[in-house]
Amino acid sequence: LPLPCSAGSLCLALLLPVVAGLEFSYHHSEQLETFLKEVHQQHPSITALRSIGRSVAGRDLWVLVVGRFPTQHTIGIPEFKYIANMHGDETVGRELLLHLIDFLVTNDQSDPVVTRLINSTRIHIMPSMNPDGFEATTVHDCYYSEGRFNKNGEDLNRNFPDVFNSNNVTIQPETQAVINWIQNETFVLSANLHGGALVASYTFDNGNPATGFLQGYSRSRDDDVFIHLARTYSSNHASMYKGNECGNKPVFPYGITNGYAWYQLKGGMQDYNYIWGQCFEITLELSCCKYPPASQLQAFWNDNKAALIEYIKQVHLGVKGQVLDRHGQPIPNVIVEAKGREHICPYRTNRHGEYYLLLLPGSYVLNATAPGSGSILKTLLVPNSPENFSALKYDFVFPEVSTLARDASCPIKPLYQDFESISAAVKPTLHFLALMTVLYTVFK
């Protein structure tokens, strides 16, 4: 019989080691594919399996979707994703996601938390973005191997368009498949799983004066939300929150870091998600050793499983809803954002007229702007919605709507470069103000 537990907290089943089911070993491409197909065959009502593309060597990039409505998007159900193994020699995340799949499908209808997650969320899981690199890693090294790169020798986490600098690289098949996937879904929250450290890293990875990188920290408009997301994972992990578990790495307070504050990275996946995918993504470094022995995998699962589940719940932060006309028909391409949190590439409604805004509890003024039809402002008090497995719902209704442009997407170019000249113009003023502050303090 299932153990009793409350629907709003993690069950005891989540805290106990798995004693049966998927083995704790490294699964190569054929084994991984076999496992995913078996899961789908055994749980067809809550899973969907598809390849979103192929690697350079022709290996499928498999994604298993778990949800009550797994085959297609359902209005009001947010889309979530985990991606692992984009560096082929960083292997722990690959196995953790296989065990997460196993945990979700075997605990549906018995564990209330898992059941409510599956009822309220469409969860996409990609165990390996770089299967060629994984298969090429023959020496299990803690620090580095050629398997980091894809078969063309490219680093996939330097291969995305960059919002700060021109990224003159050839987009790889694996990268293009993920870009297409992001553009075809309405992803709200995501994490990509890496290895080589133990920390949760968040946007921005790159920067310029417009995001404050002169102070060694590249800040987004949603910095508070990103800090919350990173701390959600680190605080639910067995030891990440300590911040100093890898002796050869910096100390990370609370086990989190701004990406740029750690090291600058151009062409990263998490920045691309935030700017062009309307999806908040963080990077999870989950093991001090990139490719640890298989004997340690069960310990890694026990350390991470509560955090993996709790992080998915955060897709229900904030506000969601639709923008409709007076006849109740959805309006696509409407800009919906919270005042003071406008994105350089405005967040717009999808073809169903839906919007999703990740916001911490508090009072916000939402602004819905339909080009040619004006704006509607609404003040909302946002609760702590993840505990209820649903963001606050609010629909905007426009009485009159003009014809909207079909393609309202932002150009794929370094959008923040336009702000550098502005920042340079105000820089002398900022220096003067800083000097006056110092002088005032000294004389006082």
Side-chain angles (χ1 to χ4, degrees):
L1 293 175
L3 293 168
C5 62
S6 65
S9 61
L10 293 176
C11 283
L12 185 59
L14 187 61
L15 306 176
L16 294 176
V18 173
V19 294
L22 184 67
E23 292 182 356
F24 286 98
S25 62
Y26 286 112
H27 295 79
H28 287 269
S29 294
E30 290 185 2
Q31 297 168 305
L32 184 148
E33 180 177 339
T34 298
F35 169 72
L36 295 178
K37 288 181 175 178
E38 287 178 351
V39 167
H40 177 50
Q41 185 178 21
Q42 293 168 9
H43 304 275
S45 66
I46 60 167
T47 64
L49 178 63
R50 70 185 183 103
S51 170
I52 65 162
R54 290 182 180 272
S55 68
V56 173
R59 294 184 172 95
D60 281 301
L61 304 176
W62 290 109
V63 173
L64 187 90
V65 182
V66 182
R68 200 62 65 206
F69 310 100
T71 58
Q72 61 185 7
H73 178 70
T74 301
I75 293 173
I77 301 293
E79 309 279 347
F80 175 94
K81 65 180 164 69
Y82 274 133
I83 297 179
N85 199 213
M86 76 182 300
H87 291 147
D89 63 338
E90 298 173 11
T91 57
V92 170
R94 176 186 175 107
E95 298 303 323
L96 290 182
L97 292 190
L98 295 182
H99 283 277
L100 176 63
I101 289 169
D102 189 50
F103 182 82
L104 291 173
V105 298
T106 57
N107 284 280
D108 182 36
Q109 303 299 334
S110 61
D111 183 303
V113 172
V114 171
T115 303
R116 293 190 71 180
L117 270 183
I118 291 175
N119 288 344
S120 62
T121 321
R122 191 164 174 243
I123 305 164
H124 304 244
I125 300 175
M126 176 187 275
S128 181
M129 182 179 166
N130 186 5
D132 296 351
F134 177 81
E135 298 300 338
T137 308
T138 56
V139 178
H140 301 181
D141 193 275
C142 276
Y143 301 107
Y144 173 82
S145 81
E146 290 298 322
R148 173 185 179 90
F149 308 106
N150 76 343
K151 193 173 177 63
N152 286 338
E154 296 291 338
D155 187 328
L156 298 180
N157 205 31
R158 309 293 188 276
N159 195 238
F160 284 80
D162 192 87
V163 73
F164 296 98
N165 306 109
S166 296
N167 196 21
N168 297 317
V169 295
T170 301
I171 300 296
Q172 296 299 296
E174 299 91 343
T175 309
Q176 190 62 57
V178 170
I179 288 174
N180 295 343
W181 184 36
I182 290 169
Q183 296 304 320
N184 290 331
E185 298 285 358
T186 306
F187 287 118
V188 178
L189 181 62
S190 174
N192 69 84
L193 281 56
H194 288 252
L198 195 63
V199 66
S201 172
Y202 55 90
T203 291
F204 287 113
D205 276 328
N206 203 353
N208 69 9
T211 59
F213 84 144
L214 295 174
Q215 290 76 44
Y217 189 114
S218 189
R219 188 183 311 274
S220 75
R221 286 291 185 95
D222 298 292
D223 193 62
D224 59 339
V225 179
F226 277 112
I227 290 172
H228 166 80
L229 293 171
R231 288 194 67 171
T232 293
Y233 198 93
S234 68
S235 64
N236 283 279
H237 185 279
S239 59
M240 184 184 289
Y241 68 92
K242 297 177 182 178
N244 60 352
E245 292 297 280
C246 301
N248 63 331
K249 300 294 179 184
V251 173
F252 300 107
Y254 306 107
I256 70 172
T257 184
N258 173 253
Y260 185 91
W262 186 11
Y263 62 90
Q264 186 178 9
L265 185 162
K266 181 170 72 173
M269 186 165 67
Q270 69 177 13
D271 286 3
Y272 177 85
N273 270 274
Y274 179 59
I275 297 298
W276 287 290
Q278 301 191 184
C279 174
F280 288 36
E281 179 172 281
I282 68 172
T283 299
L284 299 171
E285 302 278 354
L286 299 179
S287 59
C288 301
C289 179
K290 287 176 178 284
Y291 202 142
S295 60
Q296 297 178 13
L297 290 175
Q298 183 163 356
F300 280 116
W301 169 243
N302 292 333
D303 288 349
N304 283 275
K305 59 185 174 182
L308 287 165
I309 294 295
E310 192 63 29
Y311 185 77
I312 298 173
K313 287 171 61 177
Q314 305 313 303
V315 76
H316 299 291
L317 277 172
V319 188
K320 66 180 180 182
Q322 287 181 282
V323 179
L324 308 168
D325 65 19
R326 60 179 177 171
H327 304 294
Q329 295 301 306
I331 310 174
N333 296 327
V334 176
I335 298 171
V336 182
E337 300 195 298
K339 293 192 72 173
R341 293 172 180 268
E342 296 83 1
H343 299 94
I344 194 166
C345 181
Y347 280 25
R348 298 175 182 270
T349 56
N350 63 13
R351 64 188 180 90
H352 303 291
E354 287 179 289
Y355 72 92
Y356 294 86
L357 295 177
L358 294 183
L359 299 166
L360 298 184
S363 179
Y364 300 89
V365 177
L366 268 57
N367 184 0
T369 304
S373 302
S375 297
I376 298 176
L377 299 179
K378 177 64 179 179
T379 301
L380 294 174
L381 186 62
V382 176
N384 184 23
S385 46
E387 292 305 312
N388 297 319
F389 296 86
S390 178
L392 176 68
K393 189 175 186 301
Y394 183 80
D395 293 339
F396 289 91
V397 178
F398 277 84
E400 299 292 337
V401 182
S402 63
T403 302
L404 301 181
R406 287 186 178 181
D407 184 7
S409 59
C410 286
I412 305 298
K413 67 174 188 176
L415 299 171
Y416 269 108
Q417 281 188 348
D418 296 338
F419 285 76
E420 284 193 295
S421 58
I422 299 173
S423 299
V426 302
K427 191 174 177 182
T429 303
L430 294 175
H431 286 169
F432 174 76
L433 291 173
L435 176 62
M436 292 301 294
T437 301
V438 171
L439 291 173
Y440 173 79
T441 304
V442 169
F443 284 109
K444 185 177 179 181

mmCIF file of all heavy atoms in Angstrom, residues 36 53 57 61 82 86 105 110 140 146 162 167 172 186 201 241 249 264 276 278 291 294 307 353 355 392 394 398 432:
data_model
loop_
_atom_site.group_PDB
_atom_site.id
_atom_site.type_symbol
_atom_site.label_atom_id
_atom_site.label_comp_id
_atom_site.label_asym_id
_atom_site.label_seq_id
_atom_site.Cartn_x
_atom_site.Cartn_y
_atom_site.Cartn_z
ATOM 1 N N LEU A 36 13.420 4.017 -22.797
ATOM 2 C CA LEU A 36 12.381 5.009 -23.067
ATOM 3 C C LEU A 36 11.195 4.386 -23.799
ATOM 4 O O LEU A 36 10.031 4.691 -23.496
ATOM 5 C CB LEU A 36 12.967 6.157 -23.889
ATOM 6 C CG LEU A 36 14.037 7.007 -23.199
ATOM 7 C CD1 LEU A 36 14.559 8.083 -24.147
ATOM 8 C CD2 LEU A 36 13.517 7.638 -21.916
ATOM 9 N N GLY A 53 15.167 15.370 -33.271
ATOM 10 C CA GLY A 53 16.193 15.568 -34.286
ATOM 11 C C GLY A 53 17.253 14.497 -34.168
ATOM 12 O O GLY A 53 17.093 13.525 -33.416
ATOM 13 N N ALA A 57 26.189 12.267 -35.863
ATOM 14 C CA ALA A 57 26.379 10.862 -36.246
ATOM 15 C C ALA A 57 25.061 10.152 -36.534
ATOM 16 O O ALA A 57 25.064 8.951 -36.834
ATOM 17 C CB ALA A 57 27.144 10.119 -35.155
ATOM 18 N N LEU A 61 17.749 12.249 -30.889
ATOM 19 C CA LEU A 61 17.701 13.082 -29.685
ATOM 20 C C LEU A 61 16.330 12.866 -29.057
ATOM 21 O O LEU A 61 15.353 13.537 -29.384
ATOM 22 C CB LEU A 61 17.923 14.552 -30.051
ATOM 23 C CG LEU A 61 19.220 14.855 -30.805
ATOM 24 C CD1 LEU A 61 19.284 16.331 -31.202
ATOM 25 C CD2 LEU A 61 20.449 14.474 -29.970
ATOM 26 N N TYR A 82 13.633 19.340 -18.763
ATOM 27 C CA TYR A 82 14.985 19.053 -18.283
ATOM 28 C C TYR A 82 15.801 18.554 -19.474
ATOM 29 O O TYR A 82 15.331 17.703 -20.247
ATOM 30 C CB TYR A 82 14.971 17.949 -17.225
ATOM 31 C CG TYR A 82 14.721 18.388 -15.797
ATOM 32 C CD1 TYR A 82 13.799 17.700 -14.999
ATOM 33 C CD2 TYR A 82 15.430 19.442 -15.219
ATOM 34 C CE1 TYR A 82 13.572 18.062 -13.676
ATOM 35 C CE2 TYR A 82 15.203 19.815 -13.900
ATOM 36 C CZ TYR A 82 14.281 19.124 -13.127
ATOM 37 O OH TYR A 82 14.071 19.491 -11.824
ATOM 38 N N MET A 86 24.501 17.687 -22.403
ATOM 39 C CA MET A 86 24.870 18.461 -23.588
ATOM 40 C C MET A 86 26.380 18.491 -23.745
ATOM 41 O O MET A 86 26.888 18.706 -24.849
ATOM 42 C CB MET A 86 24.254 19.860 -23.566
ATOM 43 C CG MET A 86 24.896 20.876 -22.651
ATOM 44 S SD MET A 86 24.007 22.481 -22.691
ATOM 45 C CE MET A 86 24.125 22.968 -24.402
ATOM 46 N N VAL A 105 6.673 7.851 -13.446
ATOM 47 C CA VAL A 105 5.655 6.955 -14.011
ATOM 48 C C VAL A 105 5.243 5.862 -13.034
ATOM 49 O O VAL A 105 4.099 5.389 -13.062
ATOM 50 C CB VAL A 105 6.121 6.336 -15.345
ATOM 51 C CG1 VAL A 105 6.362 7.430 -16.383
ATOM 52 C CG2 VAL A 105 7.352 5.462 -15.185
ATOM 53 N N SER A 110 -0.182 7.062 -6.846
ATOM 54 C CA SER A 110 0.100 6.561 -5.502
ATOM 55 C C SER A 110 0.763 7.635 -4.638
ATOM 56 O O SER A 110 0.484 7.726 -3.446
ATOM 57 C CB SER A 110 0.981 5.304 -5.549
ATOM 58 O OG SER A 110 2.226 5.577 -6.144
ATOM 59 N N HIS A 140 36.958 7.513 -18.441
ATOM 60 C CA HIS A 140 36.086 8.180 -17.472
ATOM 61 C C HIS A 140 36.933 9.106 -16.607
ATOM 62 O O HIS A 140 37.517 8.692 -15.604
ATOM 63 C CB HIS A 140 35.361 7.149 -16.613
ATOM 64 C CG HIS A 140 34.513 6.207 -17.420
ATOM 65 N ND1 HIS A 140 33.752 5.208 -16.856
ATOM 66 C CD2 HIS A 140 34.277 6.133 -18.742
ATOM 67 C CE1 HIS A 140 33.111 4.546 -17.802
ATOM 68 N NE2 HIS A 140 33.420 5.096 -18.958
ATOM 69 N N GLU A 146 37.594 14.545 -24.578
ATOM 70 C CA GLU A 146 37.117 14.999 -25.875
ATOM 71 C C GLU A 146 35.611 14.805 -26.016
ATOM 72 O O GLU A 146 34.968 15.434 -26.856
ATOM 73 C CB GLU A 146 37.849 14.253 -26.996
ATOM 74 C CG GLU A 146 39.314 14.642 -27.144
ATOM 75 C CD GLU A 146 39.495 16.113 -27.514
ATOM 76 O OE1 GLU A 146 38.690 16.632 -28.309
ATOM 77 O OE2 GLU A 146 40.442 16.740 -26.996
ATOM 78 N N ASP A 162 23.705 34.607 -29.292
ATOM 79 C CA ASP A 162 24.011 35.325 -28.057
ATOM 80 C C ASP A 162 23.378 36.711 -28.108
ATOM 81 O O ASP A 162 23.372 37.367 -29.152
ATOM 82 C CB ASP A 162 25.522 35.441 -27.874
ATOM 83 C CG ASP A 162 25.896 35.906 -26.484
ATOM 84 O OD1 ASP A 162 26.033 35.056 -25.579
ATOM 85 O OD2 ASP A 162 26.042 37.132 -26.283
ATOM 86 N N ASN A 167 27.856 35.718 -32.216
ATOM 87 C CA ASN A 167 28.448 34.405 -31.971
ATOM 88 C C ASN A 167 28.671 33.729 -33.324
ATOM 89 O O ASN A 167 27.788 33.064 -33.857
ATOM 90 C CB ASN A 167 27.525 33.552 -31.092
ATOM 91 C CG ASN A 167 28.247 32.358 -30.504
ATOM 92 O OD1 ASN A 167 29.474 32.351 -30.419
ATOM 93 N ND2 ASN A 167 27.510 31.348 -30.094
ATOM 94 N N GLN A 172 25.071 23.766 -34.807
ATOM 95 C CA GLN A 172 25.171 22.323 -34.956
ATOM 96 C C GLN A 172 23.777 21.678 -35.015
ATOM 97 O O GLN A 172 22.795 22.258 -34.535
ATOM 98 C CB GLN A 172 25.971 21.733 -33.797
ATOM 99 C CG GLN A 172 27.417 22.213 -33.760
ATOM 100 C CD GLN A 172 28.169 21.824 -35.018
ATOM 101 O OE1 GLN A 172 28.366 20.633 -35.302
ATOM 102 N NE2 GLN A 172 28.605 22.817 -35.786
ATOM 103 N N THR A 186 5.602 25.987 -25.726
ATOM 104 C CA THR A 186 5.479 27.151 -24.851
ATOM 105 C C THR A 186 6.163 26.821 -23.525
ATOM 106 O O THR A 186 5.498 26.693 -22.491
ATOM 107 C CB THR A 186 3.995 27.519 -24.628
ATOM 108 O OG1 THR A 186 3.356 27.687 -25.896
ATOM 109 C CG2 THR A 186 3.851 28.828 -23.851
ATOM 110 N N SER A 201 23.538 27.627 -11.277
ATOM 111 C CA SER A 201 23.961 28.862 -11.930
ATOM 112 C C SER A 201 22.810 29.441 -12.739
ATOM 113 O O SER A 201 22.043 28.697 -13.362
ATOM 114 C CB SER A 201 25.160 28.568 -12.840
ATOM 115 O OG SER A 201 25.492 29.700 -13.623
ATOM 116 N N TYR A 241 23.635 23.232 -1.093
ATOM 117 C CA TYR A 241 23.426 24.481 -0.360
ATOM 118 C C TYR A 241 24.637 24.893 0.478
ATOM 119 O O TYR A 241 24.798 26.065 0.819
ATOM 120 C CB TYR A 241 22.206 24.359 0.549
ATOM 121 C CG TYR A 241 22.395 23.385 1.688
ATOM 122 C CD1 TYR A 241 22.861 23.818 2.928
ATOM 123 C CD2 TYR A 241 22.115 22.021 1.525
ATOM 124 C CE1 TYR A 241 23.041 22.914 3.974
ATOM 125 C CE2 TYR A 241 22.299 21.131 2.553
ATOM 126 C CZ TYR A 241 22.763 21.569 3.780
ATOM 127 O OH TYR A 241 22.958 20.677 4.809
ATOM 128 N N LYS A 249 37.002 24.122 -6.420
ATOM 129 C CA LYS A 249 36.132 25.136 -7.001
ATOM 130 C C LYS A 249 35.951 26.301 -6.024
ATOM 131 O O LYS A 249 36.242 26.186 -4.835
ATOM 132 C CB LYS A 249 34.756 24.535 -7.326
ATOM 133 C CG LYS A 249 34.795 23.372 -8.310
ATOM 134 C CD LYS A 249 35.249 23.810 -9.693
ATOM 135 C CE LYS A 249 35.298 22.636 -10.658
ATOM 136 N NZ LYS A 249 35.834 23.033 -11.973
ATOM 137 N N GLN A 264 32.548 34.134 -17.634
ATOM 138 C CA GLN A 264 31.803 34.617 -18.791
ATOM 139 C C GLN A 264 31.672 33.523 -19.839
ATOM 140 O O GLN A 264 32.613 32.790 -20.110
ATOM 141 C CB GLN A 264 32.506 35.829 -19.399
ATOM 142 C CG GLN A 264 31.731 36.491 -20.528
ATOM 143 C CD GLN A 264 32.437 37.725 -21.073
ATOM 144 O OE1 GLN A 264 33.580 37.995 -20.715
ATOM 145 N NE2 GLN A 264 31.753 38.480 -21.915
ATOM 146 N N TRP A 276 14.954 34.411 -26.138
ATOM 147 C CA TRP A 276 14.187 34.069 -27.339
ATOM 148 C C TRP A 276 13.171 32.943 -27.129
ATOM 149 O O TRP A 276 12.341 32.706 -27.999
ATOM 150 C CB TRP A 276 15.130 33.716 -28.482
ATOM 151 C CG TRP A 276 15.829 34.914 -29.053
ATOM 152 C CD1 TRP A 276 15.250 35.915 -29.795
ATOM 153 C CD2 TRP A 276 17.205 35.256 -28.938
ATOM 154 N NE1 TRP A 276 16.203 36.852 -30.140
ATOM 155 C CE2 TRP A 276 17.418 36.474 -29.632
ATOM 156 C CE3 TRP A 276 18.304 34.643 -28.321
ATOM 157 C CZ2 TRP A 276 18.658 37.087 -29.720
ATOM 158 C CZ3 TRP A 276 19.545 35.257 -28.403
ATOM 159 C CH2 TRP A 276 19.709 36.466 -29.097
ATOM 160 N N GLN A 278 11.299 32.719 -24.097
ATOM 161 C CA GLN A 278 10.362 33.091 -23.038
ATOM 162 C C GLN A 278 10.324 32.037 -21.936
ATOM 163 O O GLN A 278 9.282 31.767 -21.336
ATOM 164 C CB GLN A 278 8.957 33.333 -23.596
ATOM 165 C CG GLN A 278 8.886 34.429 -24.635
ATOM 166 C CD GLN A 278 7.489 34.866 -25.024
ATOM 167 O OE1 GLN A 278 7.301 35.698 -25.904
ATOM 168 N NE2 GLN A 278 6.478 34.316 -24.366
ATOM 169 N N TYR A 291 32.612 12.521 -14.737
ATOM 170 C CA TYR A 291 32.208 11.154 -15.113
ATOM 171 C C TYR A 291 32.591 10.221 -13.961
ATOM 172 O O TYR A 291 33.567 9.498 -14.026
ATOM 173 C CB TYR A 291 32.913 10.741 -16.401
ATOM 174 C CG TYR A 291 32.245 9.620 -17.190
ATOM 175 C CD1 TYR A 291 32.230 9.645 -18.573
ATOM 176 C CD2 TYR A 291 31.634 8.527 -16.563
ATOM 177 C CE1 TYR A 291 31.643 8.621 -19.324
ATOM 178 C CE2 TYR A 291 31.045 7.512 -17.288
ATOM 179 C CZ TYR A 291 31.051 7.561 -18.676
ATOM 180 O OH TYR A 291 30.464 6.548 -19.395
ATOM 181 N N ALA A 294 30.118 4.333 -11.807
ATOM 182 C CA ALA A 294 28.706 3.974 -11.766
ATOM 183 C C ALA A 294 28.257 3.594 -10.359
ATOM 184 O O ALA A 294 27.072 3.729 -10.025
ATOM 185 C CB ALA A 294 28.434 2.827 -12.734
ATOM 186 N N ALA A 307 15.162 17.596 -4.920
ATOM 187 C CA ALA A 307 15.378 18.870 -5.612
ATOM 188 C C ALA A 307 14.798 18.841 -7.017
ATOM 189 O O ALA A 307 14.210 19.831 -7.480
ATOM 190 C CB ALA A 307 16.871 19.178 -5.662
ATOM 191 N N GLY A 353 -3.315 32.438 -27.423
ATOM 192 C CA GLY A 353 -3.526 33.647 -26.632
ATOM 193 C C GLY A 353 -3.036 33.525 -25.202
ATOM 194 O O GLY A 353 -3.360 34.360 -24.354
ATOM 195 N N TYR A 355 -0.398 33.424 -21.912
ATOM 196 C CA TYR A 355 0.833 33.981 -21.361
ATOM 197 C C TYR A 355 1.126 33.283 -20.041
ATOM 198 O O TYR A 355 0.227 32.806 -19.342
ATOM 199 C CB TYR A 355 0.721 35.496 -21.171
ATOM 200 C CG TYR A 355 -0.184 35.913 -20.024
ATOM 201 C CD1 TYR A 355 0.332 36.128 -18.741
ATOM 202 C CD2 TYR A 355 -1.555 36.081 -20.210
ATOM 203 C CE1 TYR A 355 -0.488 36.501 -17.681
ATOM 204 C CE2 TYR A 355 -2.382 36.448 -19.163
ATOM 205 C CZ TYR A 355 -1.845 36.667 -17.903
ATOM 206 O OH TYR A 355 -2.669 37.027 -16.855
ATOM 207 N N LEU A 392 -1.537 31.814 -10.390
ATOM 208 C CA LEU A 392 -2.744 32.641 -10.371
ATOM 209 C C LEU A 392 -3.235 32.819 -11.809
ATOM 210 O O LEU A 392 -2.439 33.067 -12.716
ATOM 211 C CB LEU A 392 -2.428 34.001 -9.756
ATOM 212 C CG LEU A 392 -3.552 35.033 -9.737
ATOM 213 C CD1 LEU A 392 -4.662 34.594 -8.789
ATOM 214 C CD2 LEU A 392 -3.005 36.398 -9.346
ATOM 215 N N TYR A 394 -5.442 34.823 -14.658
ATOM 216 C CA TYR A 394 -6.146 36.064 -14.997
ATOM 217 C C TYR A 394 -6.179 36.213 -16.512
ATOM 218 O O TYR A 394 -5.139 36.131 -17.183
ATOM 219 C CB TYR A 394 -5.475 37.298 -14.386
ATOM 220 C CG TYR A 394 -6.246 38.557 -14.683
ATOM 221 C CD1 TYR A 394 -7.374 38.878 -13.943
ATOM 222 C CD2 TYR A 394 -5.881 39.387 -15.745
ATOM 223 C CE1 TYR A 394 -8.125 40.009 -14.237
ATOM 224 C CE2 TYR A 394 -6.620 40.517 -16.051
ATOM 225 C CZ TYR A 394 -7.739 40.822 -15.293
ATOM 226 O OH TYR A 394 -8.492 41.920 -15.587
ATOM 227 N N PHE A 398 -9.848 42.217 -24.660
ATOM 228 C CA PHE A 398 -9.808 43.442 -25.451
ATOM 229 C C PHE A 398 -11.137 43.613 -26.187
ATOM 230 O O PHE A 398 -11.552 42.733 -26.942
ATOM 231 C CB PHE A 398 -8.665 43.385 -26.471
ATOM 232 C CG PHE A 398 -7.327 43.762 -25.907
ATOM 233 C CD1 PHE A 398 -6.549 42.811 -25.241
ATOM 234 C CD2 PHE A 398 -6.842 45.058 -26.017
ATOM 235 C CE1 PHE A 398 -5.322 43.155 -24.718
ATOM 236 C CE2 PHE A 398 -5.618 45.412 -25.494
ATOM 237 C CZ PHE A 398 -4.848 44.461 -24.834
ATOM 238 N N PHE A 432 30.878 60.210 -11.452
ATOM 239 C CA PHE A 432 30.810 61.445 -10.676
ATOM 240 C C PHE A 432 29.959 61.254 -9.428
ATOM 241 O O PHE A 432 30.328 61.679 -8.324
ATOM 242 C CB PHE A 432 30.234 62.563 -11.556
ATOM 243 C CG PHE A 432 29.992 63.851 -10.807
ATOM 244 C CD1 PHE A 432 31.043 64.690 -10.462
ATOM 245 C CD2 PHE A 432 28.703 64.212 -10.438
ATOM 246 C CE1 PHE A 432 30.815 65.859 -9.763
ATOM 247 C CE2 PHE A 432 28.468 65.386 -9.747
ATOM 248 C CZ PHE A 432 29.525 66.212 -9.409
#
